[in-house]
Amino acid sequence: MVGNSATGMMTGYLSRPATSGVEGVVFRFKRYAIHDGPGIRTTVFLKGCPLECTWCHNPEGQDFRPRQMAGGPATGGRPLTVGRQVTVARVVAEAEKDLVFYDDSGGGVTFSGGEPLAQPDFILALLATCRHRRLHTVLDTSGFAPPELFLDAARLSDLVLFDLKIIDPDLHRKYTGVNNRQILSNFRAACRAGIPMRVRVPLIPEITATEANLHRLGAFLSTCRAGCPVDLLPYHRIGEDKYRRLGIGHPGRIPGNLDKARIRQAREILAGYDLKVSVGG
Amino acid sequence: MTPRVAKLRQESLAAVPSICAERAGLVTEFYQSGRAAGESVPVQRALAFKYIMENKELYLGEGELIVGERGPAPKATSTYPEVCLHSEQDLEILHRRPKVPFRVDQATFETYRQTIIPYWKGRTIREKIFANMEKPWLEAYRAGIFTEFQEQRAPGHTAMGDKICHLGMEDLKKQIHQARRRLDFINDPRALEKLDQLRAMQIAADAIMAYAGRYADLLARAAAAEKDPYRRAELEEMERICRKVPARAPETFWEALQYYWFVHVGVITELNPWDAFNPGRLDRHLEPFYRRQIEEGTLSPDRARELLGCFWIKFNNHPAPPKVGVTAKESNTYVDFALINLGGVDRNNQDAVNEVTYLLLDVIEEMRLLQPSSMVQVSKKNPDRFLYRALEIVRTGFGQPSIFNTDAIVQELVRQGKNIEDARDGGASGCVEAGAFGREAYFLTGYFNLPKVLEITLNNGVDPRTGRRIGIAGGDPAKWKNFQDLMAAFKAQLQYFVDIKIRGNNIIERIIAGNMPAPFLSLLIDDCIENGRDYNAGGARYNTSYIQGVGLGSITDALAAIGHHVFDRKTFTMETLLEALAHDFQGFRDLHHQLVHDSPKYGNDDDYADDICREVFEAFFAAVDSKPNTRGGVHRINLLPTTCHVYFGSVIGATADGRRAGRPLSEGISPVQGADRNGPTAVLKSASKIDHLRTGGTLLNQKFLPQVLAGKQGLSKLLRLVRSYFRLDGHHVQFNVVDGQMLRRAQKNPDRYRDLIVRVAGYSDYFVDLTPELQEEIIRRTEHGQL
């Protein structure tokens, strides 16, 4: 460990007291995250999201405050509180526990959510501190954020995982609750700025995985001349139990998992737009 | 796999382990015949060995390319009445027990009743050991504080170096002759003793040559009777090989394998040493033969693979000698722990991975047998593709090969005082035990129950299970003011029991050195010939005695919970906790919940728990390390359980980590089953906070769901994970790749899952052969990747 980051009292060239005291709400640290960017990573889930995607599999991350959730086997059946207020220094200290694994694998820390850009001061301070400490960062975002914030955060990240879902504005609003104008223009801006990116497309049956949407997505990406690889993330019903434990209804009924043929078809559609497509993150 | 290998493999899998009284009968006959009269003990033992090798029945399986069986048929398992005499009741238990049974037929019962039991009763090593142990030792042994390895099996725990690649038995006899000429009867008071020992080794060398000669004759007869010209040519070649090795040094791949196998059968016939015997760094030993013959065009890779397949089957044909009582519980398996080492570095510290390494990995994957066990030594000098290939096999889910850190092993051995080149020539044998192959006698002496010592500490020296005072009265726990008071009492208790164990070890070592020399094994391990001293008496270049700590995770979590709740937060008092433990948490639901779910746990990269782990480790290390043994060496620690964590758990009441009475302890240095909640990197970080380099081996078990390792990416990241752990100086890690649901199904329908192999602790076993306790425990081990 370099410096005493847990207390924010860092010394030497790595000191950055101005940002390490900033606080935000985090609902999970996932170590040995192997699908959220290169190498072995720790994914930090920031709480709160302006979108309400009907398929969301982290519903406990949607609202901004810590909240109660019914327990599972890991808590002996007792309820647990999801989310806690932490400082940047605390987050970085947690992430740096696995430095040795990042070094060997080319990994680092991934900020996900929720929507990490929904806590602007916190995410900027996190990214700036990580950059200062030479910690590789990945920003996993929906792109739904004010343009300056988005670009600042993207520039402070080593890689952006940009989640693109639906191109049609009406359908986007229907299934996520927000307009996608800002998202698409942020994406274009990031392409122009030459931000290293990977596009992530959740494949949700009958919502994002429709032929029409995939074709529009392909056309959009090729007009942006994005050139970045596309990862298709097939939907899994892992979030459903969490809705029950949160005591909220599932906002939409998802008609089952996708079969292999449909996944292959989705891949072929996008590949037809001269994109580099892979399945899984 | 060729049809021949497939057939032999199937026969080996189908063979039912049985007890065979042949060896017991021959050894009894020999001693009864009066041939031993007047000879020194080593010469008697050598003559007995020779008598067995000259008279035992030979087995030649149809299609075999490598010959030699300990018994008259595959899995017909010898007994060693001079070490441990099975009573009729023992035989009955072996025959009837549901797990790890051995069939005992009526004739065997009769032989035992009429000949073997009457002769050996009162003359066995086992009886001598128990008769010589002091009362505190016997009390501690009965309470389950420690086990005793040598009470049913001879010391072993060693592996072959490359001596037999260069030297035949005739060469070794020349060395013996020279050593005899050097004996100095004027100045050396031990000269006669040495002469007897050297004579014994000479007889043992003759014995193994006689055995090979008998095989050559048998093969000649078989060849003469063989109609198939292809097989006849094979039999003739095998005859030629058996006339050559082990008398002379091998020159071909096939000769090298057959030579080793004769030696293996010799070692496990002479005595029943722990861990059978082990070819050691097999890829390095075979590579020169392989390379030369491939260049010459006298061997094809396919033929080499077929020969290796036949060689593998030989190991699988030899279950561990039958154990009973506590010793059966501590190592409850047919596996006899011959652990083949691949990879690592050579004497000059260069990458030792070669073409034969990859060939052997292919063989491991396609044979998929319990025996031999296999491992890869991974040095920073070895290429990633070697580790990647090994992990591909790990991913298929039968627990082999296990993964070792060569760079750590070398440092461990050098710290113990070994020459660095000898250290690089070494590896791990048995489960995870570091050793200088071909040059070291490293005896494991017994498992040591760390959580039981804590239980006795918390009961002021009394074993709550029996109410007997077996420890020291270290004070009333309720009066302890802080965590340091508790640790001081624990450390005093720990030292008390370790001292009892070491006193016992030093007596037992002398009993074995005096009564149970191993002249044949002594031929093989440097420098027994030069020293004129037996392997079991300190003749090897290095002589180490180990005590194996068990339950590190359990005791850490128990101490952490006490520190956290009783002393830091004062959630409840020591009296309340002790009452809850005494009642197995009946009526203490909230307290139990706090212990399980609101206490620091080892395995989560949490310094609170991990610092306690380190303190326990240091206390155990300080109590044991550097205490002399009687063979010119010292005691060391290692941390591995085989199946002893289940037995040790069965003798302990409820513990402060929330574990209920009688349940298994954590195994090796793995976290308590289910206590690790932060994924594999956190486990590895916790595990690396103890100093592996001051042990002779640690065992870490990790369980992964298959989907975590899926694809090239899943495996590449696992590879990096292993490399990082080794950068942190971790000694060993092994992976179980199965999901819990499948194991549940296998429990319900064992017949449909006969072939399901899982990693237990330092070895793999058939899941359905495990006891229900062990099955449960394996299912409970955290499945990383499950949210």
Side-chain angles (χ1 to χ4, degrees), chain B residues 271-509:
Chain B
L271 274 169
N272 59 351
W274 280 99
D275 298 353
F277 198 47
N278 183 344
R281 309 281 297 274
L282 191 60
D283 53 347
R284 278 181 63 203
H285 298 167
L286 292 177
E287 195 269 345
F289 301 103
Y290 182 81
R291 183 164 28 92
R292 218 199 52 237
Q293 280 195 282
I294 293 283
E295 279 167 13
E296 288 171 359
T298 53
L299 179 73
S300 69
D302 285 347
R303 183 60 162 178
R305 189 192 288 229
E306 184 173 45
L307 286 165
L308 288 169
C310 292
F311 185 67
W312 241 244
I313 287 157
K314 282 291 167 187
F315 287 90
N316 202 59
N317 283 350
H318 290 78
K323 292 155 281 190
V324 293
V326 166
T327 296
K329 287 180 182 164
E330 76 180 358
S331 182
N332 192 22
T333 175
Y334 292 126
V335 173
D336 211 8
F337 298 96
L339 179 64
I340 287 178
N341 281 227
L342 303 180
V345 295
D346 64 17
R347 285 180 78 76
N348 300 317
N349 205 21
Q350 301 302 304
D351 175 15
V353 171
N354 61 52
E355 225 173 300
V356 179
T357 316
Y358 292 102
L359 183 64
L360 283 163
L361 285 167
D362 291 346
V363 170
I364 291 164
E365 186 175 41
E366 79 176 1
M367 295 307 287
R368 218 180 160 81
L369 289 170
L370 284 192
Q371 300 204 78
S373 296
S374 61
M375 65 88 113
V376 288
Q377 284 197 28
V378 180
S379 157
K380 56 183 185 262
K381 304 227 169 171
N382 297 135
D384 278 351
R385 65 178 173 194
F386 160 59
L387 177 54
Y388 191 89
R389 176 71 187 108
L391 292 174
E392 281 180 337
I393 302 168
V394 166
R395 182 165 63 183
T396 66
F398 81 114
Q400 287 194 36
S402 51
I403 323 277
F404 285 79
N405 181 358
T406 300
D407 307 313
I409 288 174
V410 171
Q411 291 179 77
E412 289 159 19
L413 295 175
V414 168
R415 184 196 82 87
Q416 296 178 352
K418 277 134 192 153
N419 169 307
I420 192 164
E421 287 159 312
D422 290 351
R424 289 171 186 149
D425 250 352
S429 63
C431 286
V432 298
E433 301 89 294
F437 287 0
R439 303 181 177 95
E440 183 174 13
Y442 41 122
F443 298 0
L444 269 61
T445 67
Y447 295 111
F448 193 92
N449 193 342
L450 294 164
K452 183 76 189 176
V453 175
L454 176 62
E455 183 181 50
I456 287 167
T457 309
L458 291 172
N459 288 279
N460 201 6
V462 173
D463 180 359
R465 207 164 63 106
T466 57
R468 297 176 71 86
R469 175 172 296 285
I470 64 167
I472 48 176
D476 177 2
K479 301 220 169 76
W480 293 331
K481 291 195 177 55
N482 50 44
F483 190 69
Q484 286 68 38
D485 289 348
L486 161 61
M487 285 309 287
F490 167 72
K491 286 175 191 174
Q493 203 72 251
L494 179 69
Q495 186 71 61
Y496 173 74
F497 284 115
V498 167
D499 286 348
I500 291 174
K501 175 68 179 156
I502 289 180
R503 275 204 300 275
N505 285 351
N506 286 348
I507 295 170
I508 293 166
E509 276 190 11

Side-chain angles (χ1 to χ4, degrees), chain A residues 28 30-35 37-40 73-76 78 97-101 103-105 238 281, chain B residues 589-590 593 597 604-605 677-678 680-682 684-685 704 708 713-714 717-718 720-721 723-725 727-728 787:
Chain A
R28 192 173 167 215
K30 185 187 180 193
R31 293 169 73 169
Y32 199 63
I34 55 172
H35 300 292
I40 294 171
T75 62
R78 305 206 179 183
K97 283 184 170 177
D98 278 353
L99 264 182
V100 63
F101 301 98
D103 286 352
D104 268 331
S105 65
I238 55 170
Chain B
R589 224 174 129 224
D590 283 347
H593 183 89
H597 296 287
N604 293 290
D605 197 9
R677 305 261 166 86
N678 289 339
T681 58
L684 299 181
K685 282 285 299 293
F704 279 100
V708 180
Q713 179 172 288
K717 292 193 178 179
L718 181 68
R720 300 320 330 166
L721 190 73
R723 289 282 196 187
S724 300
Y725 183 53
R727 196 138 80 90
L728 296 170
L787 300 183

Side-chain angles (χ1 to χ4, degrees), chain B residues 487 552-553 555-557 559-560 602-603 607-619 639 669 686-687 689-690:
Chain B
M487 285 309 287
L552 189 65
I555 188 171
T556 298
D557 289 359
L559 286 167
Y602 168 75
D607 283 336
Y608 188 97
D610 297 346
D611 286 348
I612 291 172
C613 177
R614 184 156 44 203
E615 193 172 349
V616 173
F617 170 86
E618 293 296 344
L639 297 160
I669 59 165
S686 285
K689 290 179 197 172
I690 57 168

